[in-house]
Amino acid sequence: SGKGDFAEGDDPPSWNEPYYHSPNLSSFNFKGEHAWYSPNLPEEEFPDAQIAAAGIERMKNLSSQPFFIAIGFHKPHLPFVFPPKYLDFYPNGSVLLPADPYPPKGMPDIAWSDFGEIRKYKDIVKLHIADGIGKDMPDKETLDLRRAYYAATTYTDAQIGKVLTALDNIGLSENTTVLLWGDHGWQLGEHGEWCKHTNFELAARAPLIVRSPIIPESHGQVCEALVEHVDIYPTLVDIAGFEVRFNFPF
């Protein structure tokens, strides 16, 4: 459910049921007008809430057999769009400006990104932010965007909570391995940077959490070794007790 592969569409050979796509997704991009927006609409009309509901329904239908299901949420991807109640978690004054809004000393120019992904939104274009190293957002917009990002993240966290609660209610939480991950980090004005297109620590790190009832001794443990997204497939296959293969016929 949710996000598909950018290059190959929904990658049909990899799935025996087609991806679910929220019917409201395109209407929630607001034609590039706003980098963040919080429309006063019922939560069930928001794309990620629809994805969560579809994923839960598929889990119920598959509960009598072994299954692998991938549920992908869009937020907090740009534009930061979320139901208004999630902004209440971050009232004005509770979110601060970045502690270090300056580019690193001695940084080579090639390490800098002009954060074009967020500059394309019309409300950001109106700010007339100059190109070049260290040209950052005004403070007001920085605070607004940081609050919006946190609210969008909390909105998605709530959808994850719905899925995990459903897994428990179906009676599968004690024999199902769950892996939570994101595809990259994000910069919100730290070092004067925005978005993901750098090798800075905040952009290169991503969440990766595994909870498996099959290996309870791992619960609450933190891996200090280097791990990568390429480790996800062999890890899940190994936990499930299958032979790890890499020579697929497609």
Side-chain angles (χ1 to χ4, degrees):
S1 302
K3 296 187 73 173
D5 183 88
F6 288 106
E8 300 295 337
D10 290 345
D11 191 21
S14 294
W15 308 95
N16 57 1
E17 290 191 25
Y19 261 59
Y20 169 84
H21 292 279
S22 163
N24 290 352
L25 180 59
S26 60
S27 62
F28 274 75
N29 285 328
F30 300 102
K31 299 179 180 179
E33 293 286 340
H34 308 285
W36 76 273
Y37 192 58
S38 185
N40 191 19
L41 296 169
E43 184 164 320
E44 58 268 21
E45 293 186 21
F46 284 72
D48 284 333
Q50 295 177 336
I51 289 169
I56 291 168
E57 193 60 31
R58 289 194 179 183
M59 283 197 307
K60 291 177 179 177
N61 294 337
L62 295 169
S63 61
S64 62
Q65 57 185 307
F67 66 87
F68 172 86
I69 184 169
I71 302 176
F73 298 112
H74 293 271
K75 301 307 165 191
H77 198 287
L78 281 167
F80 309 147
V81 181
F82 49 86
K85 68 179 183 180
Y86 292 103
L87 199 60
D88 295 341
F89 286 95
Y90 307 97
N92 280 316
S94 66
V95 175
L96 304 178
L97 293 168
D100 184 1
Y102 308 107
K105 293 181 179 179
M107 179 195 73
D109 290 356
I110 197 171
W112 183 260
S113 167
D114 272 330
F115 45 92
E117 185 177 3
I118 200 169
R119 286 175 181 266
K120 69 182 181 182
Y121 291 92
K122 294 179 182 178
D123 54 349
I124 305 300
V125 171
K126 293 176 182 177
L127 300 176
H128 302 291
I129 302 169
D131 293 333
I133 295 174
K135 307 299 183 182
D136 198 8
M137 299 270 187
D139 285 355
K140 179 186 181 302
E141 283 71 22
T142 295
L143 289 170
D144 287 346
L145 285 164
R146 286 169 71 87
R147 287 182 69 214
Y149 182 89
Y150 295 162
T153 302
T154 302
Y155 158 56
T156 292
D157 185 62
Q159 310 317 307
I160 295 168
K162 292 176 186 177
V163 172
L164 295 180
T165 299
L167 189 70
D168 196 39
N169 292 339
I170 297 168
L172 295 177
S173 58
E174 291 309 311
N175 65 350
T176 302
T177 295
V178 176
L179 186 143
L180 174 67
W181 67 295
D183 52 349
H184 51 75
W186 195 260
Q187 294 154 144
L188 292 163
E190 297 88 358
H191 296 302
E193 276 286 12
W194 291 84
C195 306
K196 63 189 177 186
H197 304 97
T198 73
N199 283 331
F200 291 178
E201 187 81 354
L202 280 173
R205 295 185 66 180
L208 181 58
I209 303 170
V210 183
R211 191 269 184 186
S212 178
I214 299 170
I215 42 175
E217 65 275 12
S218 70
H219 293 180
Q221 300 300 308
V222 177
C223 179
E224 300 291 350
L226 179 67
V227 293
E228 302 178 88
H229 292 150
V230 293
D231 299 321
I232 291 175
Y233 161 70
T235 298
L236 291 179
V237 172
D238 186 52
I239 290 173
F242 296 110
E243 178 187 356
V244 179
R245 296 176 51 206
F246 295 99
N247 54 332
F248 296 103
F250 53 82

